[in-house]
Amino acid sequence: MTALLKGETGDWEMVIGLEVHAQVLTKSKLFSGASAEFGGAPNTHVSPVDAGMPGMLPVINKECVKKAVMTGLGLNAKINNVSVFERKNYFYPDLPQGYQISQYQHPIVGEGSIEIDLPDGSVKVVGIERLHLEQDAGKSLHDQHPQKSYVDLNRSGNPLMEIVSKPDMRSPEEAGAYVTKLRAIVRYLGTCDGNMDEGSMRCDVNVSVRKPGAELGTRCEIKNVNSVRFVQQAIEFEARRQIEIIEGGGVIKQETRLFDTSNGTTRSMRSKEDAHDYRYFPDPDLLPLTVEDGFIEDIRKTMPELPDAKKQRFMDEYGLSHQDASVLIGERERGDFFEKVAKGHDAKLASNWVLSELLGALHKAEKDLKDSPVTAEQLGELIGLIEDDTISGRIAKEVFAEMFGTGKNAGDIVEARGLKQVTDTGEIEKIVDAVLAENPDKIEQYKGGKDKLFGFFVGQVMKKSGGKANPGMVNDLLKKKLEA
Amino acid sequence: MTNLTHLTIRAALDGLEKKDFTATELVDAHIAAAEAARGLNCFITETFDAAREQAKAADERYAKGEALPLDGIPVAMKDLFCTEGVQTTAASKILEGFKPPYESTVSGQMKRDGAITLGKANLDEFAMGSSNGTSAFGGVVNPWKRKGDNRDLVPGGSSGGSAAAVAARIAMGATGTDTGGSIRQPAAFCGITGIKPTYGRCSRFGVIAFASSLDQPGPFGRTAEDCALLLKSMAGYDAKDSTSVNAPVPDYAASIGQSVKGLKVGVPKEYRVEGTNEEIIALWDKGVEMLKDAGAEIVDVSLPHTKYALQTYYVIAPAECSSNLARYDGVRFGLRVEGDNLIDTYENTRAQGFGAEVRRRILIGTYVLSAGYYDAYYNQARRVRKLIWQDFIDAYKQCDVLLTPTAPTPAFAIGENLQDPVTMYLNDIFTIPASMAGMPGMSLPVGLSADGLPLGLQLIGQPFAEETLFKAASALEKAANFTDLPQTLMGKAA
Amino acid sequence: MSIDKETVGKIARLARIKVTEDDKEVLAGELTNILTMIEELNAVDTKGVEPMTSVVQMQLHERADEVTDGGIPEKILKNAPEETAGFFVVPKVVE
């Protein structure tokens, strides 16, 4: 789904690659036993190791290794049996050691790929370059004092997976779909909570432009973009900025830029910074990290079903459309919820109820699925009532509204309000006869060829029954009597 | 009463056990000696009050028959070991006043075993030096003097304060760290014994880092047995150090006095380098004879890459140090010298906080790691390091231990060898190869030079074969019978 | 290779150490001497030799994922040259 941008000199193609930093979901930090929890009073989730105190040494968290491998498997990637932690050296107040421990030449995970779902229903494969483990930095606050910056090291040393894509994306939509899919994968795996508001997933976006089919252009990196929408905005702005410069006879300077969320623009971050020279070298406080094949296989065995597999299964097993299946698998909880609802019931009916009624109501009430007042079992019961003709679809919507408001069971509501469908032929016949008796003129017109009036009779019968008459039976009876 | 400061640790433990004297008396005697010898500048921080308190507690344990393995033994702690709540400086202005909120594993284990720290021993700044001359708190004076020459001599470095304190009978033992010879060379200069264990044997947790792939703590004593007793306490696996090796700690002292019959002692020809003091070469030959007489088998071996060890060291150690010392930025601890802005503050702090030698090594390390030079310098050095390591592995196919000189000269006068950094670096030429290969090495005094200075020989062992080193050292010690005292102490002994 | 004054300035900047013009002159000489010594390594044939990082021949040990440290802000901040409200304080960082 290549979206070309129109410039004065013709069409331009965007080339986009993403570096996503995903915080590994753990209790403690990558190399220290301090809490990795978000927030907290300043400098409370800090051990002497995280503060870079003299003589302190890193010891790796096993869970981070496990989850990095698991994520690598989820990205269909090659797991490297030996990887090496290196030091990336630079000075910054929120980098206490004066270096970040990262993986450079030998990452734990190599090349892989994922499929992204595009709005037009098509699927595209995006290559993964690598995934490596590294430490997060602390946080500097620049707005607390006119001449000072404040430093909080709570985040310092948190475990990050940096997931680097290949420059395979060609539009903001593709980039958005990539982030969405990546987020779904790590959340399915439980290796990252994907919480972009709290910064547990952050994106660095690499953007360049070129004439279609031409050589790659010079790229700019936009740092720390923290929502799917901002990723798309930033790309849109940055691509246009670059086109304007090139068409104006200028050249793109490779640089790091910041995205300004207030106005959707990007600006240069390090105007006059020394050329970076990070002086990477293997961290002598650590040994090479080895993961045995057996360890990798054990993890593979415990992997949950991933979004793409689940989507395919939903289509095969439940006969759902690609569109519906894609929405249902977007969140692991949503898919699980659907399957619980569908258990013993018509799957398409279940899918419709989850997608349109439940998600709609939740959206309106600004609630998450996990806080839904209607449980999967309750929704299943409601669908059961439709299936066995206890209530009609229309009544079911009424019942659902009350369930959503009160948390009561469908059966109880139907019982209490007397909403049970009338299926007694005699009773329905009485109503049909009454309606026909009241409308002799309409009968004449109907018999004279005005077929559309059939709907009128149905409506009248339903109205008189308070909506409880079984619509199929009403149809049958009316047809019989009118054609008699 | 016996002169308590002249006892070995073994003798002192026996005396304490037999109640010949108390830990308080032992510690007080050493505090008195330390006070009398303040001119040597062995300590950066004295912890006498705490030591007296601990001595009392030790005495209570002796009274109850619950004495710990090193209970009541006064030691000097190199000021590179972080000690909780006690100023720890690495002999640098940049850390003046720093009180760590944690204890190094090694100092913690010694405390656990009842050893009593008299103070934080002086050293070369961040352990970078071979004379103790780079300390921001002034140099240390070697208790030895040349015959008929009153000039002060250096104690060697970097663990100069530790070695001088043990030689001057201020402390019964001491901790040191050895990166390229920082235990062995000062031991040789001060006429005492010191061992750098196998890399990974003693935890580096809480030890201020100089060059992480080389740094290794170890003890000083006046005998091999005392070193064995101290090492037993210092060594062991530590889950807080990822390079710590999980191997059992043997009873090193049990190796003392064991026969060296059949022990294969390798004599590497590459250590006969030009410029080495002739007396030292002669002493080396004598050492070979001593071991031979004790029943050892002498084997000529070759370590062909020895002559590149120094060069390798001066790439790898500065590279690691340039990164290890980046944390001294004036943000979270230590000195801060304010500037016009953040970068200016960093640059002022580090320019004024670090001494000349430390700055020099940070700069050379930064240079060899920087873009464009990494492979030519750093990676080439790492490849040569592998060859040096391989040399040892190959040599050990023919022998059990190696015997070499410890240093190319005896102690020199303060101010000598300062013309050029490279001249100073040559001091470590015999100790660096074992450091690069991570092998254990030990220096012990074997004789005196014509002008009355102690000369040491070095034994280098196989990985984690410290017991063999102690066995060979005790045989050599017995044959050498080195009983000379520093001139400053002569006549004071009982 | 020799290190000139300009290179000294560059690496001093990378290492965040202020050096005066006079220092640069002296350092250029000293560092060149050290470098000359180091360059003797070029004579060693290292073809096919893997660079060595650690002499320790074992697997990296890993710790369990448990919170065992932290919660000690007063200890973390105790040695700080400047602190306010639980934060370390530095001259303003200009981005």
Side-chain angles (χ1 to χ4, degrees):
Chain A
M1 208 179 82
T2 301
L4 297 178
L5 289 176
K6 286 235 175 303
E8 282 171 16
T9 59
D11 286 344
W12 292 86
E13 183 182 51
M14 295 172 256
V15 177
I16 303 154
L18 273 87
E19 290 166 24
V20 174
H21 289 88
Q23 184 178 337
V24 190
L25 196 54
T26 56
K27 296 194 204 94
S28 61
K29 295 188 173 181
L30 181 55
F31 292 114
S32 92
S35 168
E37 206 183 316
F38 175 76
N43 292 305
T44 50
H45 299 165
V46 180
S47 79
V49 177
D50 311 311
M53 293 227 174
M56 292 299 94
L57 297 171
V59 181
I60 195 164
N61 182 342
K62 192 186 186 86
E63 191 68 9
C64 297
V65 177
K66 195 179 140 192
K67 288 190 163 157
V69 169
M70 189 183 264
T71 307
L73 293 174
L75 302 175
N76 310 301
K78 181 181 180 303
I79 309 300
N80 293 322
N81 293 109
V82 179
S83 60
V84 177
F85 286 102
E86 303 204 28
R87 293 182 181 179
K88 179 181 183 178
N89 296 282
Y90 65 96
F91 286 86
Y92 204 77
D94 59 24
L95 188 75
Q97 297 162 138
Y99 54 83
Q100 176 196 34
I101 306 178
S102 180
Q103 296 188 307
Y104 184 52
Q105 289 191 338
H106 306 280
I108 184 164
V109 176
E111 291 188 331
S113 67
I114 61 172
E115 287 181 0
I116 61 171
D117 303 297
L118 299 171
D120 65 359
S122 65
V123 166
K124 174 174 176 157
V125 175
V126 174
I128 300 291
E129 180 69 36
R130 59 187 278 160
L131 174 155
H132 68 254
L133 281 168
E134 64 182 26
Q135 296 177 301
D136 205 346
K139 218 171 164 173
S140 301
L141 289 84
H142 306 305
D143 51 1
Q144 307 287 309
H145 188 284
Q147 289 96 35
K148 307 275 187 185
S149 288
Y150 290 7
V151 180
D152 172 15
L153 299 178
N154 279 348
R155 215 177 59 185
S156 163
N158 272 353
L160 297 180
M161 295 182 280
E162 179 170 326
I163 303 164
V164 184
S165 83
K166 293 191 182 283
D168 286 351
M169 287 155 278
R170 296 289 177 270
S171 70
E173 290 71 29
E174 290 185 2
Y178 171 80
V179 176
T180 303
K181 179 50 84 58
L182 199 57
R183 184 170 175 275
I185 292 172
V186 293
R187 283 170 55 84
Y188 264 63
L189 294 171
T191 55
C192 169
D193 67 18
N195 194 330
M196 299 185 87
D197 294 338
E198 291 180 356
S200 35
M201 241 179 108
R202 312 192 288 267
C203 306
D204 296 345
V205 189
N206 284 298
V207 181
S208 65
V209 296
R210 64 176 176 189
K211 286 288 170 71
E215 294 279 297
L216 284 178
T218 305
R219 66 190 163 87
C220 290
E221 184 181 14
I222 311 157
K223 282 270 183 204
N224 272 338
V225 193
N226 57 8
S227 84
V228 173
R229 192 164 59 89
F230 290 155
V231 165
Q232 297 185 341
Q233 278 182 12
I235 293 169
E236 189 82 43
F237 176 86
E238 180 60 19
R240 293 207 176 275
R241 184 187 75 87
Q242 292 182 13
I243 292 168
E244 231 166 83
I245 290 175
I246 300 169
E247 291 189 332
V251 281
I252 303 300
K253 181 169 62 134
Q254 184 163 347
E255 63 176 355
T256 306
R257 300 180 66 83
L258 272 183
F259 179 65
D260 187 338
T261 53
S262 66
N263 58 15
T265 62
T266 67
R267 64 181 162 86
S268 186
M269 190 168 158
R270 300 186 178 114
S271 45
K272 189 176 135 276
E273 180 61 273
D274 328 301
H276 287 294
D277 188 342
Y278 291 125
R279 289 156 285 137
Y280 280 100
F281 75 107
D283 191 330
D285 286 332
L286 294 162
L287 305 172
L289 175 66
T290 18
V291 290
E292 311 281 355
D293 286 339
F295 178 77
I296 299 169
E297 286 317 305
D298 285 348
I299 291 173
R300 201 192 293 279
K301 279 182 211 141
T302 63
M303 298 265 289
E305 185 182 32
L306 287 173
D308 288 338
K310 185 167 282 196
K311 183 172 66 185
Q312 195 57 51
R313 185 168 62 80
F314 279 12
M315 289 160 67
D316 297 344
E317 199 173 302
Y318 299 115
L320 301 184
S321 69
H322 181 269
Q323 174 69 25
D324 286 357
S326 296
V327 179
L328 284 173
I329 58 98
E331 300 277 352
R332 185 176 175 175
E333 296 74 21
R334 196 183 294 160
D336 291 349
F337 193 96
F338 158 72
E339 290 204 271
K340 266 192 218 159
V341 174
K343 204 168 177 196
H345 300 293
D346 181 85
K348 278 192 190 163
L349 194 57
S351 152
N352 284 342
W353 272 87
V354 171
L355 289 175
S356 47
E357 300 304 322
L358 181 66
L359 292 184
L362 287 170
H363 183 73
K364 222 188 258 170
E366 293 180 354
K367 277 186 173 159
D368 281 337
L369 184 59
K370 64 174 166 35
D371 304 318
S372 170
V374 178
T375 66
E377 289 76 13
Q378 285 176 314
L379 189 55
E381 185 199 348
L382 179 67
I383 289 167
L385 293 177
I386 302 169
E387 284 171 335
D388 67 8
D389 286 340
T390 307
I391 54 173
S392 67
R394 201 176 67 72
I395 293 286
K397 285 186 189 179
E398 248 178 70
V399 174
F400 176 79
E402 186 169 341
M403 289 167 74
F404 198 85
T406 63
K408 285 187 194 158
N409 288 332
D412 297 342
I413 294 168
V414 169
E415 193 66 37
R417 286 179 45 187
L419 296 174
K420 210 167 160 162
Q421 195 160 242
V422 178
T423 50
D424 180 332
T425 319
E427 206 169 311
I428 295 177
E429 193 165 5
K430 256 188 246 165
I431 302 169
V432 168
D433 288 345
V435 167
L436 293 178
E438 284 163 21
N439 297 288
D441 51 331
K442 297 271 183 352
I443 297 176
E444 279 308 307
Q445 292 173 21
Y446 178 82
K447 289 193 168 164
K450 214 166 174 191
D451 288 358
K452 271 193 271 173
L453 278 169
F454 189 78
F456 165 78
F457 292 117
V458 173
Q460 288 301 305
V461 174
M462 291 309 287
K463 195 175 163 192
K464 241 187 172 48
S465 76
K468 292 186 288 181
N470 180 305
M473 291 170 74
V474 171
N475 272 331
D476 289 351
L477 272 169
L478 269 173
K479 218 167 250 171
K480 210 166 80 192
K481 299 221 175 219
L482 285 167
E483 261 132 57
Chain B
M1 201 163 85
T2 359
N3 190 335
L4 294 180
T5 59
H6 285 255
L7 296 174
T8 62
I9 291 174
R10 171 59 87 201
L13 287 170
D14 290 346
L16 286 164
E17 193 60 49
K18 287 190 279 182
K19 315 263 188 322
D20 292 346
F21 45 85
T22 63
T24 300
E25 287 167 338
L26 186 67
V27 165
D28 280 343
H30 283 88
I31 290 174
E35 284 169 344
R38 277 195 175 126
L40 299 180
N41 199 22
C42 288
F43 292 116
I44 292 173
T45 306
E46 295 172 343
T47 55
F48 296 162
D49 290 343
R52 288 192 185 97
E53 286 300 312
Q54 286 169 276
K56 254 188 245 168
D59 282 328
E60 282 165 25
R61 286 188 292 267
Y62 275 107
K64 284 192 272 181
E66 294 170 357
L68 303 166
L70 291 173
D71 225 348
I73 299 301
V75 297
M77 186 67 64
K78 188 177 185 180
D79 201 18
L80 205 61
F81 291 86
C82 288
T83 43
E84 188 169 355
V86 177
Q87 178 183 244
T88 301
T89 67
S92 180
K93 223 161 88 177
I94 212 158
L95 271 179
E96 193 167 6
F98 174 67
K99 290 184 179 170
Y102 44 84
E103 183 84 20
S104 80
T105 298
V106 164
S107 58
Q109 288 179 178
M110 292 182 76
K111 201 184 261 183
R112 172 202 68 197
D113 289 345
I116 295 174
T117 296
L118 295 171
K120 304 298 293 289
N122 205 342
L123 65 150
D124 278 300
E125 185 179 5
F126 282 102
M128 297 177 203
S130 310
S131 69
N132 216 116
T134 70
S135 169
F137 300 89
V140 173
V141 177
N142 192 327
W144 292 84
K145 291 206 188 297
R146 288 180 188 132
K147 250 184 246 166
D149 183 346
N150 210 29
R151 275 186 299 169
D152 285 338
L153 306 180
V154 303
S158 68
S159 315
S162 299
V166 174
R169 275 62 181 170
I170 288 170
M172 307 197 87
T175 59
T177 62
D178 190 315
T179 305
S182 282
I183 290 174
R184 291 160 287 163
Q185 184 253 20
F189 277 23
C190 291
I192 60 167
T193 302
I195 176 169
K196 176 198 94 75
T198 312
Y199 182 84
R201 179 72 287 188
C202 294
S203 169
R204 296 185 296 112
F205 179 84
V207 183
I208 295 177
F210 160 19
S212 311
S213 77
L214 297 157
D215 297 343
Q216 182 55 212
F220 289 98
R222 290 191 290 264
T223 64
E225 185 176 26
D226 283 3
C227 285
L229 292 168
L230 292 171
L231 182 59
K232 168 95 176 132
S233 177
M234 295 169 72
Y237 171 68
D238 182 6
K240 290 191 273 189
D241 174 0
S242 298
T243 61
S244 165
V245 175
N246 196 352
V249 179
D251 177 10
Y252 296 117
S255 303
I256 302 296
Q258 282 188 12
S259 165
V260 292
K261 209 171 201 98
L263 186 78
K264 288 184 182 158
V265 178
V267 180
K269 63 175 185 213
E270 288 80 6
Y271 280 61
R272 288 187 190 273
V273 292
E274 235 175 281
T276 301
N277 181 308
E278 304 228 335
E279 287 179 297
I280 287 173
I281 297 290
L283 182 85
W284 185 19
D285 293 339
K286 214 167 112 189
V288 169
E289 286 308 310
M290 287 174 182
L291 284 173
K292 201 169 164 185
D293 291 346
E297 195 183 313
I298 307 302
V299 192
D300 286 324
V301 296
S302 170
L303 301 165
H305 296 91
T306 299
K307 66 171 176 173
Y308 297 111
L310 187 73
Q311 295 85 332
T312 310
Y313 179 85
Y314 276 98
V315 175
I316 288 171
E320 293 182 10
C321 109
S322 71
S323 175
N324 281 336
L325 271 59
R327 65 189 60 201
Y328 306 101
D329 58 4
V331 174
R332 297 162 316 284
F333 44 77
L335 180 76
R336 177 190 290 184
V337 183
E338 300 284 351
D340 296 339
N341 53 46
L342 178 71
I343 291 180
D344 206 36
T345 300
Y346 280 150
E347 293 188 339
N348 287 343
T349 300
R350 292 166 60 81
Q352 293 182 40
F354 293 135
E357 180 62 20
V358 171
R359 290 199 303 266
R360 206 152 35 225
R361 294 202 196 187
I362 290 174
L363 292 178
I364 201 80
T366 303
Y367 183 78
V368 298
L369 286 178
S370 62
Y373 302 108
Y374 180 82
D375 202 62
Y377 295 121
Y378 187 68
N379 267 346
Q380 175 69 355
R382 289 166 66 215
R383 289 188 195 100
V384 178
R385 182 175 188 182
K386 184 70 174 275
L387 295 173
I388 293 168
W389 177 82
Q390 192 61 49
D391 282 356
F392 279 95
I393 299 299
D394 291 345
Y396 288 137
K397 288 174 186 153
Q398 295 169 261
C399 65
D400 303 306
V401 293
L402 298 160
L403 183 70
T404 76
T406 307
T409 67
F412 47 86
I414 290 174
E416 274 175 3
N417 286 357
L418 283 183
Q419 326 78 296
D420 182 79
V422 175
T423 315
M424 186 66 98
Y425 297 167
L426 289 170
N427 255 289
D428 297 323
I429 183 165
F430 297 140
T431 47
I432 279 176
S435 296
M436 296 313 302
M439 304 295 166
M442 189 168 184
S443 176
L444 64 159
V446 175
L448 285 182
S449 67
D451 53 3
L453 292 182
L455 302 173
L457 290 183
Q458 173 180 232
L459 287 158
I460 303 171
Q462 300 181 10
F464 296 93
E466 281 82 2
E467 288 167 284
T468 312
L469 276 189
F470 281 117
K471 185 164 83 173
S474 77
L476 198 55
E477 186 176 81
K478 193 171 158 204
N481 190 27
F482 183 88
T483 53
D484 300 276
L485 282 174
Q487 289 80 346
T488 46
L489 288 176
M490 280 202 214
K492 289 188 198 163
Chain C
M1 199 179 318
S2 73
I3 297 183
D4 58 17
K5 275 177 69 175
E6 194 198 347
T7 309
V8 171
K10 232 188 267 172
I11 56 177
R13 175 84 176 174
L14 265 179
R16 295 286 187 264
I17 294 175
K18 191 166 280 180
V19 285
T20 63
E21 282 305 307
D22 291 349
D23 286 347
K24 280 185 197 167
E25 193 75 57
V26 177
L27 278 164
E30 288 173 346
L31 297 184
T32 297
N33 281 353
I34 297 170
L35 204 63
T36 306
M37 172 187 82
I38 289 170
E39 284 179 340
E40 291 166 23
L41 289 177
N42 294 341
V44 187
D45 180 6
T46 55
K47 217 180 284 157
V49 180
E50 232 356 80
M52 187 176 216
T53 302
S54 178
V55 295
V56 178
Q57 311 283 307
M58 62 170 192
Q59 284 214 356
L60 182 64
H61 57 248
E62 301 171 357
R63 46 167 247 279
D65 179 29
E66 274 152 19
V67 177
T68 55
D69 210 339
I72 45 164
E74 62 298 328
K75 286 186 176 179
I76 295 297
L77 291 154
K78 196 175 150 248
N79 287 287
E82 192 179 352
E83 55 131 338
T84 297
F87 293 97
F88 294 103
V89 179
V90 296
K92 196 164 197 90
V93 181
V94 193
E95 209 100 278

